[in-house]
Amino acid sequence: ISLAAGIHPSKANGTQIEFPISSLGDKKQWSAAVEEQDTCFWTISVNPPANTPIGNYALFLHASKAHCLLGNFTLLFNPWCQDDEVFLANEAERQEYILNQEGIIYWGTENAVLAQPWDFSQFEKCIVDICFLLLDVGERHQRDKDHSQRKSPVHICRTVAAMLNCDELRGILTEYRTGQCSNGTSPSKWLGSSPILQQWVASRCKPVRYGQCWVFAAVMCSVLRCLGIPTRVVTGFTWAHNTNSNLSVDEYYDEDGTLLTQDKSARVWTFHVWNECWMARADLRPEYSGWQALDATCQEKSKGPSFCGPAPVKAIKEGDTDINYDVCYFFAAINAKCQVWIQKADDTLKPAFGGTKYTGNNISTKSVGSERCEDITHNYKYPEGSFQEKGVLDKAYRKIKKLETTSNSSETQFSFIPAAFEEPVNLYIHLQSKSSLTLGQDVPLSIEVFNHSGGEKATHLVVGVQSLHYNGVPITQLWKEEFHFTLKSNEANRLQVFVPYSRYRKDLGENHLLRLTAVLRDEDSFYIYFAQEEISICGPPLTIEFPENMVQYQPSTARISLLNPLTEPLEKCVIVVAGRGLIYRQRKYKLDSVQPDGSQELQISLTPIQAGPRRLTAHLTCLQLHNLKSYKTIDVAAA
């Protein structure tokens, strides 16, 4: 028996192999054994070793001086095999992180985590061929002709990550930049990975427009699951992006509380989405095996590729910032502290007291075997303020200090957190609102100001609301109000204000996020105090109903109902429906205007062709809403 893989198979790199047919199988090398035989037929089993490079193989039989092609096969990683580097012992986790094609991606804010459906479709027709084409293109552009490296899940993860978001490599996706909207699909409109991968192939490997962090992570999950690497999508809230491993980041606001950004970028994102992949790290000590963080979103790194990882999650938690790959970037993103500065009219900067933000909160992923959100923050960091956290930070600082004294300036380095400003114990400000609201509701704001000092204080308070993108970039200032009042010693002033729906209805943005700010100035000392909150605006109810029983191959009907809670009609409503195994491809339906307090119902005819749990997803866009998704799962009985 002989086999060959790749365009230029070679015995030297293990992509061209010959081995005899015997009665004994050797698990550590290629072997073939006769299982059954008669005068006309042989049944032969061929067994590859666990460390064989994945890929497409041609299988030949040699007899005397003749040989013939027996066929072609595709070899993947095998998480069921104990000798494979991606072996995952738990069967429920294998079902979730390899076989499950329907996922959930979390976004929103740390106090209001919202679920978004995603169809990974890793076993859809042609997807495996697209995945290997992706590897071919990536390796070709990296001038890597050694197919033997494909035995390493680390190599595969880094190759796929490099391809996800890199135009010069003819990557899969073009990153959506703030303000872009033409000649492409908005990231929030994608419902699954298959249309993206199919479009990439159909366009001869030109990047698909557009993606953002959750799209990169979702497509990465599809590709790696397809290749046999257990993978999940992870979301972290309040993420310090492009810190260049700096553990102290700054945000700048004007005196009205409006965030000031340069080049339409922000340091602290409301949320960020990346991947975790399960594997043994043969290149590291055994304790670093297990979940590895992998981030395909572009980073502004001083050297090396623009993606990050795979980084052992264990190393991130323990502050082992010198471990490969890019542990320092993940560590900084979830441990940095953000200092707020106020830029005055004369362009001078003053520190804002009370405005420090802590990053890396509510790190979340879909739980195994259910649609429940699982908080995995404890995998990445010790509790805020704990003795263990202090020890990890101290260790990280020592490693950083050693790097700074022993390495060249070109090396990646952390910066120390500067000493905290000595905060005057004079005034205290607290800002509070509901963590999420339904579209159409006014935004309630509660502001409390307390004077701790021994004397009277004259104060100036500015309360504002901005709409913003998920990456922290503001869209526009929607509303502000100023207050002047004097507080006696140990006196509190409590304010209740409401921001009307009319102020945010036209400029809400695709991510439906609002940032609330309060800037308090002590008129005597000119000290500035700052508080902020971020809230999610949820869309109106979009409900999906199935009949009580649904049977494979039998026509059926689902109902989608839209209720309008607004005092104005919902105009130009379009609903896109998708459901692998329930309907063929995506369907688009245009609805009439939905009147105030009215509803509209859509009948969806479908014939399920696959049994088992099946999900139907509906995506609504209209003049008032850019992104409202709903989903429901039904168990289809086998015919």
Side-chain angles (χ1 to χ4, degrees):
I1 296 286
S2 70
L3 53 85
I7 301 174
H8 303 291
S10 164
K11 290 182 179 180
N13 64 18
T15 54
Q16 184 177 358
I17 303 165
E18 294 183 2
F19 49 94
I21 299 174
S22 67
S23 58
L24 298 175
D26 186 345
K27 291 185 177 180
K28 294 187 178 180
Q29 61 184 7
W30 282 95
S31 63
V34 178
E35 298 287 335
E36 298 178 17
Q37 69 180 91
D38 58 27
T39 54
C40 297
F41 296 97
W42 280 15
T43 300
I44 301 172
S45 64
V46 178
N47 298 293
N51 64 347
T52 303
I54 64 170
N56 295 309
Y57 286 80
L59 188 67
F60 299 91
L61 174 66
H62 296 261
S64 299
K65 296 182 179 180
H67 70 276
C68 66
L69 174 67
L70 295 179
N72 299 289
F73 65 91
T74 299
L75 192 66
L76 307 173
F77 291 108
N78 185 0
W80 281 264
C81 173
Q82 292 190 19
D83 296 324
D84 200 302
E85 289 184 18
V86 302
F87 172 66
L88 187 59
N90 186 292
E91 175 60 22
E93 291 182 344
R94 290 193 294 253
Q95 292 290 324
E96 181 67 49
Y97 300 133
I98 289 289
L99 300 181
N100 191 1
Q101 299 190 75
E102 293 172 340
I104 294 174
I105 300 172
Y106 297 101
W107 58 350
T109 69
E110 61 183 84
N111 296 318
V113 179
L114 306 177
Q116 297 287 313
W118 191 273
D119 185 3
F120 293 121
S121 303
Q122 66 265 34
F123 303 126
E124 197 170 297
K125 185 179 180 181
C126 300
I127 294 298
V128 68
D129 295 328
I130 295 174
C131 292
F132 280 108
L133 174 63
L134 185 154
L135 291 179
D136 291 340
V137 173
E139 290 171 345
R140 188 182 312 127
H141 282 278
Q142 294 172 16
R143 294 180 173 82
D144 181 4
K145 297 180 179 179
D146 184 5
H147 272 55
S148 65
Q149 290 196 67
R150 291 190 179 183
K151 66 184 178 183
S152 165
V154 171
H155 169 78
I156 296 299
C157 286
R158 288 178 67 79
T159 301
V160 175
M163 279 295 296
L164 251 295
N165 178 20
C166 197
D167 287 353
E168 61 266 27
L169 292 185
R170 299 178 74 84
I172 300 292
L173 284 154
T174 296
E175 184 168 7
Y176 178 87
R177 305 290 181 180
T178 304
Q180 285 177 327
C181 59
S182 60
N183 301 322
T185 300
S186 168
S188 63
K189 290 186 177 180
W190 296 113
L191 300 180
S193 302
S194 179
I196 296 171
L197 293 170
Q198 301 278 6
Q199 185 176 328
W200 178 68
V201 171
S203 65
R204 297 184 179 182
C205 305
K206 291 181 180 178
V208 176
R209 298 178 178 177
Y210 292 99
Q212 285 179 310
C213 65
W214 67 90
V215 184
F216 301 136
V219 176
M220 172 89 78
C221 186
S222 298
V223 173
L224 295 182
R225 285 187 183 182
C226 178
L227 297 175
I229 300 176
T231 308
R232 62 188 183 185
V233 177
V234 176
T235 303
F237 295 89
T238 317
W239 169 273
H241 192 67
N242 282 340
T243 63
N244 201 23
S245 300
N246 196 326
L247 286 171
S248 178
V249 296
D250 297 312
E251 280 191 331
Y252 302 93
Y253 291 79
D254 67 16
E255 293 178 284
D256 291 336
T258 302
L259 180 66
L260 305 174
T261 59
Q262 294 180 343
D263 302 323
K264 295 185 176 179
S265 65
R267 286 297 186 193
V268 180
W269 292 13
T270 304
F271 67 88
H272 181 57
V273 185
W274 66 96
N275 294 100
E276 285 182 2
C277 313
W278 180 273
M279 67 186 71
R281 287 297 296 269
D283 56 324
L284 301 174
R285 296 200 305 270
E287 62 262 34
Y288 295 123
S289 294
W291 287 115
Q292 313 289 315
L294 186 64
D295 188 0
T297 302
C298 269
Q299 313 283 322
E300 293 176 7
K301 294 164 68 174
S302 57
K303 58 184 294 187
S306 63
F307 64 89
C308 288
V313 173
K314 176 73 171 178
I316 299 170
K317 181 173 183 176
E318 298 299 333
D320 296 330
T321 54
D322 52 345
I323 296 297
N324 282 339
Y325 292 91
D326 305 307
V327 169
C328 54
Y329 285 91
F330 285 101
F331 186 84
I334 63 172
N335 287 285
K337 292 178 175 58
C338 176
Q339 172 63 43
V340 172
W341 297 81
I342 303 298
Q343 181 173 308
K344 299 176 69 64
D346 60 2
D347 290 337
T348 59
L349 295 173
K350 289 186 70 70
F353 299 108
T356 302
K357 286 199 288 193
Y358 295 89
T359 59
N361 305 317
N362 283 19
I363 300 175
S364 304
T365 190
K366 178 185 176 297
S367 62
V368 174
S370 81
E371 296 185 344
R372 183 177 57 85
C373 178
E374 179 182 356
D375 190 327
I376 57 171
T377 310
H378 61 278
N379 291 347
Y380 280 83
K381 56 198 298 188
Y382 289 100
E384 204 82 50
S386 67
F387 177 79
Q388 295 100 321
E389 185 206 33
K390 183 179 183 300
V392 166
L393 290 172
D394 287 345
K395 177 171 69 171
Y397 295 157
R398 287 196 301 272
K399 288 179 180 286
I400 296 154
K401 187 73 171 177
K402 186 176 180 180
L403 268 178
E404 288 179 340
T405 56
T406 61
S407 65
N408 297 325
S409 59
S410 61
E411 293 286 336
T412 296
Q413 299 175 12
F414 280 96
S415 294
F416 288 94
I417 297 178
F421 295 106
E422 186 174 342
E423 188 166 334
V425 186
N426 289 327
L427 295 172
Y428 169 81
I429 182 169
H430 179 66
L431 173 66
Q432 190 173 5
S433 182
K434 293 183 178 180
S435 57
S436 65
L437 296 167
T438 300
L439 185 73
Q441 289 184 311
D442 296 342
V443 180
L445 289 175
S446 173
I447 307 104
E448 182 179 17
V449 180
F450 190 83
N451 179 11
H452 290 279
S453 72
E456 191 174 80
K457 289 287 183 183
T459 63
H460 174 222
L461 174 66
V462 181
V463 183
V465 177
Q466 302 171 72
S467 54
L468 72 155
H469 299 287
Y470 84 99
N471 60 3
V473 175
I475 299 172
T476 187
Q477 180 83 8
L478 300 169
W479 172 92
K480 76 167 185 175
E481 193 165 333
E482 299 186 41
F483 303 88
H484 294 268
F485 49 86
T486 300
L487 290 173
K488 295 179 181 178
S489 176
N490 294 319
E491 182 184 13
N493 187 7
R494 296 175 179 84
L495 303 172
Q496 289 280 350
V497 295
F498 288 86
V499 181
Y501 162 66
S502 60
R503 299 303 294 267
Y504 70 80
R505 61 180 289 269
K506 290 185 178 180
D507 294 297
L508 185 56
E510 288 195 351
N511 303 122
H512 302 171
L513 295 170
L514 297 180
R515 174 174 287 157
L516 320 177
T517 59
V519 181
L520 178 70
R521 187 172 72 239
D522 182 342
E523 300 283 37
D524 299 323
S525 66
F526 298 105
Y527 282 131
I528 297 175
Y529 302 81
F530 183 83
Q532 65 173 299
E533 286 288 328
E534 290 177 2
I535 65 172
S536 293
I537 303 297
C538 301
L542 183 66
T543 58
I544 301 174
E545 293 182 358
F546 288 115
E548 187 173 347
N549 297 303
M550 195 174 287
V551 181
Q552 185 182 16
Y553 303 126
Q554 292 188 11
S556 189
T557 302
R559 292 199 308 271
I560 299 177
S561 302
L562 171 63
L563 177 66
N564 180 11
L566 306 181
T567 57
E568 59 182 324
L570 293 177
E571 305 278 3
K572 297 185 178 180
C573 296
V574 175
I575 293 181
V576 175
V577 180
R580 183 176 32 79
L582 292 175
I583 61 175
Y584 180 65
R585 294 185 177 175
Q586 294 182 3
R587 298 182 191 169
K588 182 184 290 188
Y589 300 89
K590 293 183 179 180
L591 304 183
D592 297 330
S593 297
V594 185
Q595 297 305 310
D597 293 321
S599 63
Q600 201 165 127
E601 188 174 279
L602 186 63
Q603 301 278 343
I604 306 293
S605 299
L606 50 87
T607 301
I609 60 172
Q610 296 176 5
R614 297 288 128 204
R615 177 192 287 175
L616 191 70
T617 299
H619 178 215
L620 170 73
T621 57
C622 62
L623 286 182
Q624 292 85 350
L625 271 173
H626 300 289
N627 178 34
L628 174 61
K629 296 188 179 99
S630 182
Y631 62 96
K632 190 169 185 178
T633 302
I634 185 170
D635 199 354
V636 177

